[in-house]
Amino acid sequence: MKNEQNPSIRQVKVYSIVTLILILIGSGVSYWTAGRIEYYTDGVMHTSDVLQRTDELYSSILERETNIRGYVLTGNEEFLTNYNQSNVNAELLLIQLQALTMDNARQQNNIEELRGLINSRVRTFEASIEYMKEHSNLVGFLDPNKVNNALSGYTLIKDVVLRINDVENGLFQQKNQSLINNINALPFIVGLISIFSITIGLMTFFSIYQFNKSQLAANMEITLFQQKLKDQIKLLDDSNKELEQFAYVASHDLQEPLRKITAFSDLLKEQYGGKLEGEGDLYLSRITAAAVRMRRLITDLLEYSRAGRIENEKITTVKLSTVISEMLEDYEIAIQDKSAKITVGKLPKVKGSDTEYRQVFQNLISNSLKFSKPSVNPEISITSEKASEELINIYPSLDSSENYYLIKVSDNGIGFEKAHADRIFSIFQRLHGKKEYEGTGIGLSITRKIIEKNGGVIFAESSAGNGAVFNIILPYINA
């Protein structure tokens, strides 16, 4: 089944890649064509603007010529008013033309030449106006030589204006033709994009058909797998029930023979102690010690199996300071025997059960008392602080949107090598021999199981001879 699905998946991938390429090509061509049309449209509009400004400038020059001649012929001051306005209009239009043709050196030269001719012409007009004002009796009189010079100046200006128009008309025709060519290409491009779209649609339909076909086969396989999984879950449930039955047997039937072995070995020791030949007393002591260890091991295994899944325990808000205070009262004799000093800081409220957290701190404190230095009074401190965001992000099991407290249980005991920091939380893992320190190596495993069940993590820090620090990160309750 798996080998049949792979070709279909590969085809879907190939069609998807081809589809993406076609979309990119069509979009790219459309974008490029639209850009060219916009570019040439702007160019045509720009050239039309230059031609319009040139026509307006030429009209302004004609108007000025008409007004100055009207004034010379009639002496009417109204012609001078129109003449002055024509000068202002002409200067403004020259500035606009110069700005519009900044990218055309040839036109810039033409405009500069036109500006020089206009200024020269204006100077001539100004001289004529002064002359007319000084000789008002000459109204209507025109000197033929001055008339010819005036016509000659106007002709030069007209030639430059026509030259500017010729250049812009050439640019207009060139840009307009390019625009027409791009517009004519647009139907072809639209048709090409349509072909691309149809091709994409067909290929997509075919790829979806192939994919659905493979999905149907995969769904059938998933259904079979789910059925097998249900069967396995049922077998697992049955196995768990058998394990629970085994735990019951271990807690009652297995412990009863051990109690008898311990009781009879005690009776033998009491009645025949010192009377057995050879190493009889030693063997009897070993039988008793082995039975006690076996009984303790069974009890610890039951505690480990129940840790983190106490069925009848109600999940409530737990005041850790109260739990630890009550636990220390029960451990008062052990603490006094060790001359230990235990300090407890302010602790947060957390969710869980009193029994579970009592077991956690009981294991940690008993470990600190057990693994104290021979000639040094144990010092144990329990403190808490808000966990930093950096610390929370280290552990994927923690929810970064929640608030956490870091609780530290520190001691001045014998410590352990850094390499064993994670090993000590594994079940049955011991760093020391049975003769050195008693225990089954299950306590810290139970502690980790409870902490993780309540949404937290626990890790240890230490070095040989420098004590140990057990760090617990738990979500807390604001109250």
Side-chain angles (χ1 to χ4, degrees):
M1 186 70 67
K2 186 176 181 180
N3 292 333
E4 291 178 3
Q5 290 177 6
N6 285 337
S8 298
I9 295 173
R10 284 196 297 269
Q11 286 177 357
V12 171
K13 290 180 179 179
V14 170
Y15 295 151
S16 299
I17 293 171
V18 173
T19 299
L20 179 60
I21 293 172
L22 291 174
I23 291 173
L24 290 175
I25 292 174
S27 300
V29 172
S30 300
Y31 181 78
W32 180 82
T33 304
R36 299 300 293 174
I37 291 174
E38 183 180 3
Y39 171 77
Y40 287 118
T41 300
D42 290 343
V44 169
M45 296 299 294
H46 179 270
T47 306
S48 298
D49 200 12
V50 173
L51 288 171
Q52 181 181 349
R53 295 292 184 276
T54 305
D55 289 342
E56 291 175 359
L57 176 61
Y58 186 62
S59 297
S60 179
I61 292 171
L62 286 177
E63 184 179 358
R64 182 177 56 195
E65 295 284 339
T66 301
N67 288 323
I68 195 65
R69 289 175 184 175
Y71 174 70
V72 170
L73 289 172
T74 64
N76 188 347
E77 293 288 338
E78 186 177 348
F79 284 107
L80 282 183
T81 302
N82 295 333
Y83 162 77
N84 290 329
Q85 184 60 45
S86 298
N87 282 342
V88 172
N89 294 341
E91 181 60 28
L92 180 61
L93 289 168
L94 274 173
I95 293 172
Q96 292 176 352
L97 277 174
Q98 199 162 22
L100 288 170
T101 59
M102 287 294 294
D103 58 343
N104 192 326
R106 182 179 176 187
Q107 289 292 63
Q108 289 285 300
N109 292 334
N110 289 334
I111 291 170
E112 285 299 323
E113 182 180 351
L114 179 60
R115 184 188 294 276
L117 291 172
I118 289 174
N119 290 338
S120 176
R121 186 102 172 125
V122 167
R123 286 194 295 271
T124 301
F125 288 157
E126 294 296 331
S128 298
I129 292 169
E130 283 295 323
Y131 184 79
M132 288 295 297
K133 287 182 178 180
E134 292 176 1
H135 304 83
S136 56
N137 58 333
L138 296 178
V139 174
F141 172 77
L142 293 176
D143 186 341
N145 291 328
K146 291 182 179 180
V147 172
N148 290 334
N149 289 336
L151 291 174
S152 174
Y154 169 73
T155 302
L156 291 174
I157 291 175
K158 181 179 179 182
D159 289 342
V160 176
V161 171
L162 291 175
R163 196 189 312 156
I164 293 172
N165 273 344
D166 289 342
V167 172
E168 290 302 323
N169 280 324
L171 291 173
F172 180 84
Q173 291 177 3
Q174 180 183 351
K175 293 177 181 178
N176 191 54
Q177 186 60 46
S178 298
L179 176 61
I180 291 171
N181 292 339
N182 279 273
I183 292 174
N184 290 336
L186 190 59
F188 170 76
I189 294 170
V190 171
L192 188 64
I193 294 174
S194 299
I195 293 173
F196 286 164
S197 301
I198 293 171
T199 305
I200 290 168
L202 292 174
M203 295 182 70
T204 302
F205 174 79
F206 186 68
S207 64
I208 291 174
Y209 170 76
Q210 291 292 331
F211 182 75
N212 287 339
K213 185 178 178 182
S214 64
Q215 281 296 101
L216 288 174
N219 289 338
M220 291 180 62
E221 186 173 352
I222 291 172
T223 302
L224 293 174
F225 177 78
Q226 288 175 339
Q227 186 59 46
K228 290 180 180 179
L229 185 61
K230 288 180 180 178
D231 295 339
Q232 293 293 327
I233 292 173
K234 187 177 183 302
L235 291 174
L236 183 61
D237 288 338
D238 294 339
S239 177
N240 285 337
K241 290 179 181 178
E242 291 176 2
L243 287 174
E244 289 177 2
Q245 184 65 29
F246 171 77
Y248 176 81
V249 171
S251 63
H252 293 83
D253 298 348
L254 288 180
Q255 290 196 55
E256 186 58 32
L258 285 174
R259 289 192 192 98
K260 289 182 180 180
I261 291 172
T262 303
F264 285 127
S265 63
D266 289 340
L267 287 173
L268 285 172
K269 190 173 183 180
E270 181 180 343
Q271 294 180 16
Y272 298 100
K275 298 178 182 180
L276 297 174
E277 296 181 358
E279 296 182 343
D281 288 333
L282 176 62
Y283 295 153
L284 187 58
S285 296
R286 287 186 175 181
I287 289 172
T288 303
V292 171
R293 284 200 302 272
M294 177 63 77
R295 188 174 179 182
R296 183 184 300 159
L297 182 60
I298 291 173
T299 302
D300 286 349
L301 280 173
L302 289 172
E303 288 292 333
Y304 181 77
S305 66
R306 288 198 296 264
R309 61 176 187 87
I310 301 176
E311 297 177 358
N312 297 324
E313 190 76 21
K314 186 178 180 181
I315 303 301
T316 59
T317 299
V318 177
K319 295 181 179 179
L320 291 181
S321 55
T322 302
V323 170
I324 294 174
S325 177
E326 293 175 353
M327 185 271 297
L328 291 178
E329 287 181 7
D330 295 340
Y331 260 68
E332 185 177 359
I333 295 175
I335 293 170
Q336 289 177 355
D337 289 343
K338 287 278 190 174
S339 298
K341 178 183 178 182
I342 300 177
T343 57
V344 181
K346 186 177 180 181
L347 299 175
K349 296 178 182 179
V350 296
K351 283 186 178 180
S353 69
D354 291 350
T355 304
E356 287 182 337
Y357 285 115
R358 178 187 177 90
Q359 194 172 11
V360 166
F361 288 100
Q362 179 177 307
N363 287 335
L364 293 177
I365 291 176
S366 63
N367 265 15
S368 295
L369 294 173
K370 182 194 304 182
F371 297 108
S372 60
K373 294 177 182 178
S375 58
V376 178
N377 293 336
E379 292 185 4
I380 304 168
S381 68
I382 304 173
T383 60
S384 69
E385 62 186 50
K386 286 188 177 180
S388 65
E389 186 177 346
E390 293 76 9
L391 181 60
I392 294 171
N393 290 334
I394 293 175
Y395 299 95
S397 60
L398 300 181
D399 186 355
S400 58
S401 63
E402 284 197 44
N403 296 318
Y404 291 86
Y405 252 91
L406 172 63
I407 303 165
K408 293 188 175 185
V409 181
S410 309
D411 62 50
N412 62 341
I414 62 174
F416 53 85
E417 295 291 344
K418 186 178 180 180
H420 302 314
D422 193 60
R423 176 187 167 195
I424 60 174
F425 292 103
S426 300
I427 190 170
F428 296 133
Q429 292 297 318
R430 297 170 54 92
L431 303 183
H432 307 280
K434 295 178 183 178
K435 293 182 180 180
E436 296 178 86
Y437 299 96
E438 62 177 9
T440 58
I442 298 178
L444 289 179
S445 301
I446 294 173
T447 298
R448 170 177 274 185
K449 199 171 182 181
I450 293 172
I451 293 298
E452 290 180 349
K453 177 248 185 181
N454 286 285
V457 295
I458 182 171
F459 62 96
E461 298 173 306
S462 181
S463 60
N466 295 316
V469 179
F470 286 88
N471 300 277
I472 302 172
I473 304 176
L474 282 172
Y476 69 92
I477 301 170
N478 291 314

